[in-house]
């Protein structure tokens, strides 16, 4: 049994003594310099730790504890039982170097343009940072991206961002931890961005209600996030924006959601062109329905308003229509009816509700948050909440107003006036595109031709249809299909596809991605790489397995001369030279640990297996032997190992994985009866090994609503190599 302790060497001229690590084992002694110096009076020889509770003492003691843990793990808990002195020194010195490097750099550095042309981007709904990673990997003809800011609602997303981009890469990219639906989100985002012009906005609103795999809930708080995303686009007006989502969004409600998104993108207008449109409509007013045309003008002019002005503009619109109704009331109802009739009151009070849309939307947002927090779903409460939330929506209020009009006995010569009021209210809730459809119906053929020319210049973004991208076509060892809505500003080149970087027969396999990590078993954690001997591990099939290993370019193309294996790319990193890490990767448990300097500088991070009981391991062995969960069901039942779990995905080493989700137990490793580690799932997503996922490893139950642990960070991320392909295509076209 080896002993591990710390001691002080001789003091230097300043009176500070170096702290050394000493290992004694079977008469052999190994000494290592920790890189720390201390006043000998502050060292407790009995405890072998620094005295006091200062920040410096706490951080140094954490570092010594960390080295003690890693030395103990290496000598007493490693799969490998025999080490040379040089091997022990090499492994422990890598941990020590990580600490030294972190304490000799300026953590935050300005992103100075060292070469080429930088374009700016921000990452919304950033999660772990898959988009950010891919954009920082991209470079075309000395053009590259500067990372300005990211946003998400979860603390662990923020922690992972700060450690990766501010500490490890030394960038000054900001992070905004706030719900995008909150009223002051845009103000706070603009404050983070400062006076910088944003060229590209990327993000994937987590629309769970659109997901094929998730629950479809009405009034889920995530339902309408894409419209808030587009509000950011309207303000920033970037050259390009990318919105990523699950494939199910294409077929949701028979394609209506997809059409709505395209319509909303087409409704983003160039404010400079609005006066031209308004002038055109004013010319039409002389011989057309002036009330409806004035309503359209007011609706169009709302497009150029911002923040608080929008609410004023909306209220003025409703008051304009309300005044029209007040003028009409004496003509369609006598005095007594106008004061007591419930239908007249419904119309009148409906206008009051619509005029206070902002207040009702805030109330609606708060109720949805509370509903979600209380887990109201599939119960006796859900219908009541849904009914109320539906009734306070503008569309429902207008429906009630329309129903009330129909119930009135309106003289025939005023029916059209009533109908125009309803149309005007629908204009209020319409998208810009829907409003233009109404305008087109009021135009003559000659006017339509003139209007269409104006509309060509007023639409700020060009988009024809969403793209479907499979991550495996871009060097990712995973069949993950995602839908991309790419908006191209009218002064930029149109992007209609993201060309694949690999052919069908050269896609990266699971074995290529994971083979060098296959040295741990059940309930184990590794903090450094170990050599994997394929010949010994696979015996009769070793040659077949070795044949799966290919030399490739960064994006997956086979290149036997100068390429690297996928594992080598993962271990060495894919970032362009400008963004090479300034410190060694490290892990912290939480923000408090980051503030106290309680950092874990490991050579390999996030590589820990779950502690699965004997029954689970036996079940997984049967599934692995059969190669499929369904095929294994009978044998599992016969062995008394039946599980309520619906499915296990058995990884096939010579194929790509299915879509990586957030629960590791859904997958069975291709060579061992166990679930995947966070690092293995990250490899299947194409994250570099230097990207460390922070915070808790996993969570369960209701905690999944508020916590985003490592597995969730990985599973929800955009694969960086897919993001890199998108960023590369943008750099090829951006002006």
């Amino acid at each position: 049994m080896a002993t591990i302790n710390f001691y002080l060497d001789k003091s230097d001229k300043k009176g500070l003594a170096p702290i050394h690590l000493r290992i004694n084992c079977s008469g052999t002694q190994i000494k290592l310099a920790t890189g720390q110096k201390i006043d000998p009076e502050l060292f407790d020889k009995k405890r072998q730790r620094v005295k006091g509770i200062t920040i410096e003492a706490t951080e140094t003691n954490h570092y010594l504890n960390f080295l003690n843990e890693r030395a103990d793990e290496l000598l007493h808990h490693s799969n490998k039982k025999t080490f040379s002195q040089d091997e022990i020194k090499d492994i422990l010195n890598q941990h020590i170097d990580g600490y030294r490097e972190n304490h000799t750099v300026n953590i935050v550095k300005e992103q100075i343009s060292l070469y080429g042309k930088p374009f700016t981007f921000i990452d919304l709904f950033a999660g772990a940072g898959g988009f950010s990673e891919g954009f920082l990997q991209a470079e075309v003809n000395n053009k590259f991206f500067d990372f300005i800011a990211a946003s998400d609602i979860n603390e662990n997303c923020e922690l992972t961002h700060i450690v990766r981009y501010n500490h490890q890469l030394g960038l000054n990219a900001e992070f905004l931890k706030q719900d995008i639906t909150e009223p002051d989100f845009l103000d706070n985002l603009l404050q983070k961005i400062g006076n910088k012009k944003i060229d590209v906005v990327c993000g994937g609103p987590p629309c769970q209600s659109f997901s094929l795999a998730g629950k479809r809930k009405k009034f889920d708080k995530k339902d309408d996030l894409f419209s808030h995303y587009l509000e950011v686009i309207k303000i920033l007006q970037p050259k390009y924006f990318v919105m990523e989502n699950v494939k199910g969004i294409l077929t949701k409600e028979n394609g209506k959601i997809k059409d709505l998104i395209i319509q909303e993108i087409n409704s983003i207008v160039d404010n400079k062109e609005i006066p031209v449109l308004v002038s055109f409509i004013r010319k039409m007013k002389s011989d057309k329905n002036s009330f409806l045309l004035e309503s359209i003008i007011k609706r169009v002019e709302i497009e150029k308003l911002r923040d608080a002005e929008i609410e004023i503009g909306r209220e003025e619109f409703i008051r304009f229509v309300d005044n029209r109704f007040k003028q009409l009331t004496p003509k369609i109802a006598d005095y007594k009816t106008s004061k007591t009739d419930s239908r007249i009151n419904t119309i009148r009070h409906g206008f009051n509700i619509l005029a206070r849309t902002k207040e009702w939307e805030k109330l609606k947002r708060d109720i949805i948050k509370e509903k979600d927090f209380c887990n109201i779903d599939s119960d006796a409460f859900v219908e009541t909440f849904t009914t109320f939330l539906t009734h306070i929506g503008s569309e429902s209020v207008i429906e009630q107003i329309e129903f009330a009009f129909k119930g009135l006995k309106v003289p025939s010569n005023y029916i059209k006036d009533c109908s125009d009021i309803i149309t005007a209210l629908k204009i209020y809730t319409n998208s810009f595109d829907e409003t233009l459809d109404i305008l087109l119906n009021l135009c003559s053929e000659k006017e339509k031709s003139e209007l269409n020319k104006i509309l060509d210049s007023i639409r700020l973004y060009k988009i024809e249809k969403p793209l479907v991208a499979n991550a495996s076509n871009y060097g990712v060892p995973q069949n993950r299909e995602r839908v991309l809505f790419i908006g191209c500003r009218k002064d930029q080149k149109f992007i209609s596809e993201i060309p694949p970087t690999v052919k069908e027969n050269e896609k990266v396999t699971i074995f290529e991605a994971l083979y060098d990590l296959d040295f741990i078993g059940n309930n184990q954690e590794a903090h450094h790489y170990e050599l994997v001997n394929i010949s010994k591990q696979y015996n009769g099939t070793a040659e077949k397995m070795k044949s799966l290993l290919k030399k490739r370019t960064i994006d997956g193309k086979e290149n036997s001369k100068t390429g690297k294996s996928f594992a080598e790319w993962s271990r060495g990193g894919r970032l362009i030279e400008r963004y090479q890490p300034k410190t060694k990767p490290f892990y912290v448990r939480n923000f408090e640990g980051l503030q106290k300097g309680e950092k874990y500088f490991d050579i390999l991070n996030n590589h820990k297996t779950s502690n699965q009981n004997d029954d689970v391991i036996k079940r997984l062995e049967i599934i692995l032997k059969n190669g499929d969960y369904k095929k294994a069901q009978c044998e599992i039942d016969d062995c008394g190992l039946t599980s309520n779990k619906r499915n296990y995905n058995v990884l096939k080493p010579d194929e790509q994985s299915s879509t990586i989700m957030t629960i590791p137990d859904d997958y069975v490793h291709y060579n061992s009866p166990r679930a995947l580690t966070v690092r293995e799932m990250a490899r299947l997503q194409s994250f570099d090994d230097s990207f460390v996922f922070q915070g808790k490893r996993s969570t369960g139950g209701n905690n999944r609503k508020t916590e985003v642990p490592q597995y969730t960070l990985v599973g929800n991320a955009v694969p960086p190599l897919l993001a890199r392909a998108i960023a590369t295509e943008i750099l090829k076209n951006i002006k």
Side-chain angles (χ1 to χ4, degrees):
M1 178 71 77
T3 60
I4 304 161
N5 54 62
F6 295 95
Y7 70 96
L8 297 185
D9 207 344
K10 293 179 182 178
S11 300
D12 59 17
K13 292 178 181 179
K14 295 180 181 179
L16 299 178
I19 304 175
H20 286 338
L21 168 66
R22 180 168 54 209
I23 297 171
N24 291 301
C25 184
S26 303
T28 300
Q29 191 174 87
I30 299 172
K31 296 179 181 178
L32 292 162
T34 66
Q36 283 294 94
K37 290 184 177 182
I38 189 174
D39 182 340
E41 293 294 320
L42 296 176
F43 192 71
D44 186 329
K45 291 182 180 179
K46 186 175 180 181
R47 289 177 53 246
Q48 298 176 34
R49 295 296 185 272
V50 181
K51 301 174 186 175
I53 56 172
T54 63
I55 292 175
E56 291 79 6
T58 302
E59 186 171 342
T60 301
N61 284 337
H62 167 77
Y63 171 52
L64 298 181
N65 290 336
F66 164 68
L67 286 180
N68 190 87
E69 287 174 17
R70 294 298 173 261
D72 180 66
E73 178 185 272
L74 186 64
L75 298 166
H76 301 137
H77 304 287
S78 177
N79 290 332
K80 188 174 179 179
K81 300 304 178 188
T82 305
F83 292 95
S84 68
Q85 287 190 45
D86 286 343
E87 283 178 310
I88 292 173
K89 282 183 176 180
D90 181 56
I91 292 170
L92 293 179
N93 270 326
Q94 287 184 62
H95 293 303
I96 291 169
D97 287 345
Y99 183 85
R100 280 175 175 166
E101 192 171 318
N102 185 65
H103 286 72
T104 56
V105 296
N106 179 20
I107 294 299
V108 178
K109 298 181 180 179
E110 288 293 327
Q111 296 186 48
I112 300 168
S113 180
L114 302 180
Y115 61 92
K117 169 66 177 171
F119 290 93
T120 57
F121 80 96
I122 65 170
D123 187 357
L124 302 179
F125 307 99
F131 260 129
S132 304
E133 281 293 299
F135 270 65
L136 294 180
Q137 291 174 13
E139 181 186 5
V140 176
N141 297 328
N142 282 342
K143 294 190 291 186
F144 56 94
F145 281 107
D146 263 352
F147 187 13
I148 303 303
S151 175
D152 209 298
I153 62 172
N154 186 267
E155 187 174 276
N156 202 31
C157 297
E158 182 182 21
L159 178 62
T160 299
H161 169 100
I162 287 173
V163 171
R164 174 63 171 173
Y165 299 112
N166 300 147
H167 287 259
Q168 195 186 336
L169 299 188
L171 307 181
N172 60 341
E174 296 279 357
F175 193 93
L176 174 61
K177 186 176 80 71
Q178 188 178 10
D179 190 330
I180 197 171
T181 66
E182 290 178 9
D184 61 346
F185 175 86
L186 264 169
D187 289 339
N188 293 333
L189 180 65
L190 291 172
Q191 189 175 4
K192 294 282 187 185
I193 292 170
N195 59 1
K196 300 180 183 75
K197 188 71 178 172
I198 302 302
D199 294 309
V200 180
V201 176
C202 57
C207 305
Q208 288 184 349
S209 58
F210 297 160
S211 175
L212 293 173
K215 293 180 179 179
R216 296 171 186 257
K217 295 189 289 187
K218 195 164 188 180
F219 292 116
D220 186 288
K221 71 175 183 178
K222 300 181 181 68
D223 265 5
D224 197 32
L225 293 181
F226 95 87
S227 64
H228 290 280
Y229 178 87
L230 290 186
E231 286 301 314
V232 176
I233 302 303
K234 289 177 185 177
I235 298 294
L236 297 181
Q237 300 197 350
K239 294 174 179 175
Y240 292 93
F241 69 86
V242 184
M243 190 171 77
E244 174 262 0
N245 222 297
V246 294
K247 193 178 178 184
I249 201 170
L250 295 180
T251 53
K252 182 172 172 62
E253 296 187 16
N254 298 317
K256 290 180 182 177
I257 296 296
K258 174 205 68 179
D259 294 340
L260 177 65
I261 292 173
I262 295 290
Q263 186 182 86
E264 290 293 330
I265 292 172
N266 284 330
S267 291
I268 301 174
V269 302
D270 184 349
N271 290 340
K272 297 190 295 294
E273 301 292 336
I274 286 179
V276 178
L277 178 59
V278 171
S279 176
F280 169 81
I281 301 170
R282 291 205 185 281
K283 283 195 299 183
M284 292 175 59
K285 282 176 64 176
S286 58
D287 59 344
K288 296 287 193 309
N289 187 324
S290 60
F291 168 69
L292 275 188
L293 288 173
E294 189 62 36
S295 299
I296 292 171
I297 288 171
K298 289 186 176 298
R299 170 65 185 84
V300 165
E301 288 184 327
I302 288 175
E303 289 297 319
K304 67 181 181 183
L305 302 179
R306 290 292 169 256
D307 304 326
E309 292 178 343
I310 292 177
E311 304 311 322
I312 296 170
R314 285 176 175 171
E315 185 174 349
E316 285 178 354
F317 184 101
I318 293 300
R319 292 307 175 204
F320 168 73
V321 181
D322 188 15
N323 285 334
R324 177 73 169 174
F325 174 67
K326 286 175 180 175
Q327 294 167 8
L328 189 63
T329 304
K331 300 171 184 176
I332 63 173
D334 58 46
Y335 180 80
K336 183 179 179 182
T337 303
S338 71
K339 295 298 182 185
T340 59
D341 191 277
S342 65
R343 290 160 297 189
I344 295 288
N345 284 334
T346 296
I347 297 167
R348 189 177 286 130
H349 300 163
F351 284 122
N352 291 337
I353 295 172
L354 291 172
R356 292 180 59 81
T357 297
K358 181 183 177 181
E359 287 75 13
W360 287 107
E361 285 298 320
K362 183 181 183 302
L363 178 62
K364 186 175 175 182
R365 189 168 57 246
D366 290 343
I367 291 172
I368 290 171
K369 283 183 179 179
E370 282 300 314
K371 173 178 171 285
D372 190 70
F373 183 81
C374 297
N375 201 27
I376 293 173
D377 183 33
S378 304
D379 53 37
F381 302 109
V382 70
E383 188 176 346
T384 303
F385 275 87
T386 300
T387 301
F388 176 69
L389 289 167
T390 300
H391 282 323
I392 64 174
S394 295
E395 289 83 356
S396 180
V397 173
I398 292 169
E399 282 179 12
Q400 291 296 329
I401 291 173
E402 185 173 10
F403 185 74
F405 266 118
K406 288 178 179 177
L408 292 170
K409 293 180 180 179
V410 178
S412 58
N413 54 326
Y414 293 112
I415 289 175
K416 171 112 179 21
D417 295 292
C418 294
S419 176
D420 285 349
I421 287 174
I422 297 300
T423 302
L425 290 178
K426 289 179 179 177
I427 288 171
Y428 172 73
T429 58
N430 278 352
S431 68
F432 184 75
D433 251 31
E434 289 169 325
T435 302
L436 294 178
D437 286 341
I438 294 173
L439 180 59
L440 279 164
N441 287 330
L442 295 172
C443 288
S444 65
E445 288 304 314
K446 183 181 177 183
E447 287 171 333
K448 282 181 183 178
S449 177
E450 187 181 347
L451 177 58
N452 281 323
K453 288 178 183 177
I454 294 171
L455 296 184
D456 284 341
S457 61
I458 203 169
R459 296 187 199 282
L460 190 58
Y461 290 96
K462 293 172 285 185
I463 184 168
E464 292 175 354
K465 60 182 180 179
L467 314 177
V468 177
N470 189 330
S472 66
N473 290 328
Y474 307 96
V476 181
Q478 177 190 174
N479 281 314
R480 187 186 191 94
E481 287 192 307
R482 282 298 183 265
V483 170
L484 304 173
F485 294 87
I486 301 180
C488 312
R489 205 170 71 189
K490 64 181 183 179
D491 60 335
Q492 300 294 312
K493 287 185 179 180
F494 184 64
I495 294 176
S496 59
E497 65 169 341
I498 307 298
T501 59
V502 298
K503 299 173 184 175
E504 188 66 32
N505 63 352
E506 62 179 8
K507 290 184 176 182
V508 180
T509 63
I510 291 170
F511 185 75
E512 287 183 82
L514 303 184
Y515 83 95
D516 66 316
L517 297 175
D518 187 17
F519 51 79
I520 58 175
N522 185 56
N523 193 28
Q524 288 186 336
E525 183 171 11
H527 294 108
H528 63 272
Y529 299 96
E530 294 182 19
L531 184 65
V532 172
N533 190 322
I534 296 176
S535 298
K536 284 185 178 179
Q537 247 186 12
Y538 292 92
N539 206 351
T541 60
E543 291 308 312
K544 178 187 174 185
M545 304 312 285
K546 286 179 182 178
S547 72
L548 296 174
L549 303 180
K550 308 283 177 64
K551 295 290 184 181
R552 302 175 178 274
T553 59
I554 188 173
D555 53 11
K557 292 186 186 76
E558 291 186 20
N559 185 328
S560 58
K561 292 182 180 179
T562 59
K564 302 177 187 177
S565 69
F566 185 91
E568 286 172 334
W569 278 114
S570 299
R571 288 163 75 152
R574 299 177 175 89
L575 294 169
I576 62 174
E577 185 179 350
R578 187 168 183 271
Y579 297 115
Q580 288 304 303
K582 308 301 185 289
T583 75
K584 297 289 186 184
F586 67 87
Y587 164 79
V588 290
R589 290 193 172 96
N590 46 41
F591 270 108
E592 184 181 358
L594 182 62
Q595 289 162 0
K596 289 183 177 179
E598 295 174 351
K599 303 170 184 176
Y600 293 83
F601 286 95
D602 286 313
I603 304 152
L604 175 62
N605 293 276
N606 305 127
H607 199 38
K608 180 180 180 179
T609 53
S610 303
N611 183 12
Q612 295 175 311
N613 62 43
D614 291 341
D615 283 351
V616 173
I617 293 172
K618 288 175 186 174
R619 185 187 306 124
L620 296 183
E621 284 175 342
I622 295 170
I623 295 168
L624 194 56
K625 181 181 70 175
N626 283 271
D628 182 83
Y629 185 38
K630 289 182 180 177
K631 291 178 182 176
Q633 286 284 13
C634 290
E635 189 175 345
I636 289 171
D637 294 344
D638 292 343
C639 295
L641 298 170
T642 303
S643 169
N644 291 327
K645 195 166 179 61
R646 291 184 178 181
N647 194 30
Y648 287 97
N649 293 294
V650 181
L651 299 183
K652 303 292 194 298
D654 57 347
E655 297 178 6
Q656 292 74 46
S657 78
S658 57
T659 299
I660 290 297
M661 306 295 274
T662 59
I663 302 173
D665 294 348
D666 287 349
Y667 307 91
V668 184
H669 190 276
Y670 59 86
N671 191 43
S672 307
R674 63 172 179 83
L676 299 180
T677 67
V678 170
R679 181 51 52 201
E680 287 170 325
M681 289 178 73
R683 283 274 188 98
L684 294 179
Q685 282 275 61
S686 76
F687 277 96
D688 291 346
D689 289 4
S690 62
F691 191 107
V692 183
F693 297 88
Q694 307 296 332
K696 292 173 67 173
R697 181 170 157 271
S698 62
T699 193
N702 281 335
N703 288 341
R704 285 186 179 142
K705 289 185 174 188
T706 55
E707 295 178 349
V708 181
Q710 295 169 16
Y711 277 114
T712 304
L713 283 173
V714 176
N716 285 342
V718 174
L721 281 181
L722 171 57
R724 181 183 183 276
I726 297 167
T728 298
E729 193 61 22
I730 291 174
L731 287 176
K732 286 178 183 176
N733 290 281
I734 197 167
K735 297 177 185 176

